[in-house]
Amino acid sequence: MIWATIAAALLLAGAATGVRVLREYERAVVFRLGRLLPLRGPGLVVLVPLADRMVRVDLRTIALTIPPQEAITRDNVPVRVNTVAYFKVVDPVRSVNEVENHAVATSQLAQTSLRSVLGRHDLDALLAERDRLGESLQKVLDEQTEPWGVKVDLVEIKDVEIPEAMQRAIARQAEAERERRAKVINAEGEVQAAQNLRDAARTLSADPAAIQLRYLQTLLELGGEGRSTVIYPVPVDLPASSPGTHGVLPAALAAAAAHVAHGCTCPRERQGAGT
């Protein structure tokens, strides 16, 4: 009776150790006496004690932080790059049979591939086109991990560190570029101003009276503050030689002469003097 009880207890213990429960995102790769059995899971998995050996495989996406890698770009600039790769197991059987540890193998492969990809691009491309470089690295890794049953979904370049001396050189380059743009904009402004002056000269030359009125208007603007004496030469025969200005120019000349002679005749200054 005692031996029967002991035997029953051993059988129950063996049956308990042979029962596994797998979650929805897990699969079981089972070997019976070293021979591969069909894939199992999720749910309840019953194993034969002492004969079956099970390996759990997680099918969720894994975020793998690749250690910082130092590389030299195509234009001979040393850089230090931080990268993260996202991958998942799509074939649990191959991920167990074809590679010892698929996570470690993927990490090592990503490190070597990253240095190789960076060496084929310039520093400007590395800084400005991180997405494109990440896609290139993702394709390289995906092709090499496909026999392992691993799918690389995304590779992101998080940070690019460059030497301090190179940072100063890049800053000087950016400053020189801004100065070049400023000079180009200034030159374009000079060209537009010259064109506008040419158009204004053509407009004024169509009527000599317009030139004379512009002279007088400039005289009034210069003497408006009343702080200095402005000598503005006007030919005596200029009004007489200009047709259609017998009534306009003499009055304008008289007003300008009175303005200059009295020094300050603007309304604002008269009001200030009265107060």
Side-chain angles (χ1 to χ4, degrees), residues 175-259:
E175 183 178 359
E177 178 65 20
R178 288 193 295 269
E179 291 179 356
R180 183 188 68 83
R181 294 180 181 177
K183 291 180 180 179
V184 171
I185 294 174
N186 189 21
E188 292 177 353
E190 293 291 340
V191 172
Q192 295 178 2
Q195 293 176 353
N196 292 334
L197 289 175
R198 182 190 60 187
D199 296 338
R202 290 178 179 177
T203 302
L204 293 174
S205 63
D207 188 357
I211 300 178
Q212 297 169 11
L213 292 176
R214 181 58 182 166
Y215 285 168
L216 296 177
Q217 182 181 1
T218 304
L219 177 62
L220 294 175
E221 293 175 355
L222 293 176
E225 296 293 334
R227 298 177 183 176
S228 61
T229 301
V230 180
I231 300 176
Y232 198 85
V234 177
V236 178
D237 57 344
L238 185 59
S241 62
S242 302
T245 60
H246 298 288
V248 178
L249 289 178
L253 289 172
H259 184 85

Side-chain angles (χ1 to χ4, degrees), residues 58-64 85-89 151 153-154:
D58 195 332
L59 302 183
R60 292 177 296 181
T61 300
I62 300 174
L64 176 64
Y86 300 88
F87 69 93
K88 61 182 177 181
V89 176
K151 171 66 176 177
D153 295 327
L154 181 65

Side-chain angles (χ1 to χ4, degrees), residues 54-99:
M54 186 189 76
V55 179
R56 290 176 182 263
V57 179
D58 195 332
L59 302 183
R60 292 177 296 181
T61 300
I62 300 174
L64 176 64
T65 300
I66 302 174
Q69 299 297 309
E70 296 183 357
I72 298 179
T73 60
R74 189 172 61 178
D75 50 351
N76 298 324
V77 177
V79 294
R80 183 180 178 90
V81 182
N82 297 323
T83 313
V84 58
Y86 300 88
F87 69 93
K88 61 182 177 181
V89 176
V90 295
D91 191 338
V93 175
R94 285 195 295 175
S95 68
V96 174
N97 285 337
E98 300 297 335
V99 63

Side-chain angles (χ1 to χ4, degrees), residues 64 87 99 101-111 148:
L64 176 64
F87 69 93
V99 63
N101 189 324
H102 63 272
V104 175
T106 303
S107 176
Q108 296 296 325
L109 182 61
Q111 296 177 34
W148 303 341

Side-chain angles (χ1 to χ4, degrees), residues 26-197:
E26 293 179 332
R27 298 295 183 270
V29 179
V30 181
F31 296 89
R32 178 168 296 171
L33 299 178
R35 304 283 298 187
L36 179 64
L37 298 180
L39 187 65
R40 299 184 184 182
L44 185 65
V45 177
V46 179
L47 304 177
V48 177
L50 304 178
D52 292 348
R53 184 177 182 84
M54 186 189 76
V55 179
R56 290 176 182 263
V57 179
D58 195 332
L59 302 183
R60 292 177 296 181
T61 300
I62 300 174
L64 176 64
T65 300
I66 302 174
Q69 299 297 309
E70 296 183 357
I72 298 179
T73 60
R74 189 172 61 178
D75 50 351
N76 298 324
V77 177
V79 294
R80 183 180 178 90
V81 182
N82 297 323
T83 313
V84 58
Y86 300 88
F87 69 93
K88 61 182 177 181
V89 176
V90 295
D91 191 338
V93 175
R94 285 195 295 175
S95 68
V96 174
N97 285 337
E98 300 297 335
V99 63
E100 180 180 0
N101 189 324
H102 63 272
V104 175
T106 303
S107 176
Q108 296 296 325
L109 182 61
Q111 296 177 34
T112 56
S113 300
L114 178 60
R115 290 192 292 266
S116 177
V117 171
L118 294 178
R120 296 197 297 264
H121 295 82
D122 297 332
L123 178 62
D124 294 339
L126 177 60
L127 296 176
E129 301 178 0
R130 295 186 184 182
D131 294 339
R132 188 171 63 85
L133 293 180
E135 292 177 359
S136 300
L137 184 58
Q138 182 265 332
K139 292 180 180 178
V140 172
L141 292 177
D142 194 29
E143 291 177 357
Q144 298 184 5
T145 58
E146 191 272 336
W148 303 341
V150 175
K151 171 66 176 177
V152 179
D153 295 327
L154 181 65
V155 177
E156 288 286 346
I157 299 177
K158 297 192 301 183
D159 188 22
V160 178
E161 300 178 5
I162 58 178
E164 185 177 354
M166 183 57 62
Q167 294 181 10
R168 292 194 296 267
I170 294 175
R172 290 195 300 269
Q173 179 183 1
E175 183 178 359
E177 178 65 20
R178 288 193 295 269
E179 291 179 356
R180 183 188 68 83
R181 294 180 181 177
K183 291 180 180 179
V184 171
I185 294 174
N186 189 21
E188 292 177 353
E190 293 291 340
V191 172
Q192 295 178 2
Q195 293 176 353
N196 292 334
L197 289 175

